[in-house]
Amino acid sequence: TGNGSSLTGITQSQVTGLTTSSRPQFANVQITHSVLTYAVTTNIDMDTDGFQTVSLTGDVTFTTSNRAAGRSRTVRILCDATPRTFTFPAGWTFMGAAAPASIAASKDAVLTITAFGTADSDVVAAYSVEP
């Protein structure tokens, strides 16, 4: 960065020629945002944008596809003026609390899922909703 910072374990040959426009790319890290289309069964594709927003207009069952170790997705959930119920894959492990059963009317929430393998049982999830 030009301010005297250093990285431990990185060799000069690994950084020679890098510029701000030639930063390393990592296949499992995506920082783009897209809209996730709501459906009664809404699929979170682990091979698409890392940040997604879904606007609920009904109850929802979440599914995933293209799971692979190291892939993570964050979904902003926007609820309309009606409380909505959730269904999640049985194999997911929720951290900090049990899987939420519903979201209150007109609330926003964030669901983050991380895959540690290719099965639903390899997915760890965290959920937080505004008060």
Side-chain angles (χ1 to χ4, degrees):
T1 61
N3 63 4
S5 298
S6 63
L7 296 172
T8 303
I10 304 295
T11 65
Q12 183 63 41
S13 65
Q14 290 172 308
V15 295
T16 298
L18 289 179
T19 66
T20 57
S21 62
S22 67
R23 290 177 290 214
Q25 299 295 310
F26 301 95
N28 292 331
V29 178
Q30 298 176 357
I31 56 171
T32 55
H33 175 266
S34 64
V35 173
L36 184 60
T37 302
Y38 166 78
V40 172
T41 300
T42 298
N43 183 59
I44 302 169
D45 186 344
M46 301 290 284
D47 198 29
T48 60
D49 296 333
F51 297 101
Q52 301 172 2
T53 297
V54 62
S55 296
L56 302 182
T57 57
D59 297 338
V60 63
T61 296
F62 287 104
T63 60
T64 56
S65 59
N66 296 310
R67 293 172 303 275
R71 290 188 177 174
S72 182
R73 296 296 174 264
T74 299
V75 180
R76 182 178 181 204
I77 302 169
L78 308 175
C79 189
D80 61 5
T82 302
R84 302 297 179 184
T85 61
F86 295 136
T87 303
F88 296 100
W92 288 12
T93 300
F94 274 81
M95 303 306 289
S102 62
I103 185 171
S106 304
K107 295 293 184 177
D108 291 0
V110 174
L111 171 68
T112 299
I113 59 173
T114 302
F116 288 87
T118 59
D120 275 324
S121 59
D122 298 319
V123 172
V124 175
Y127 175 84
S128 184
V129 66
E130 71 174 302

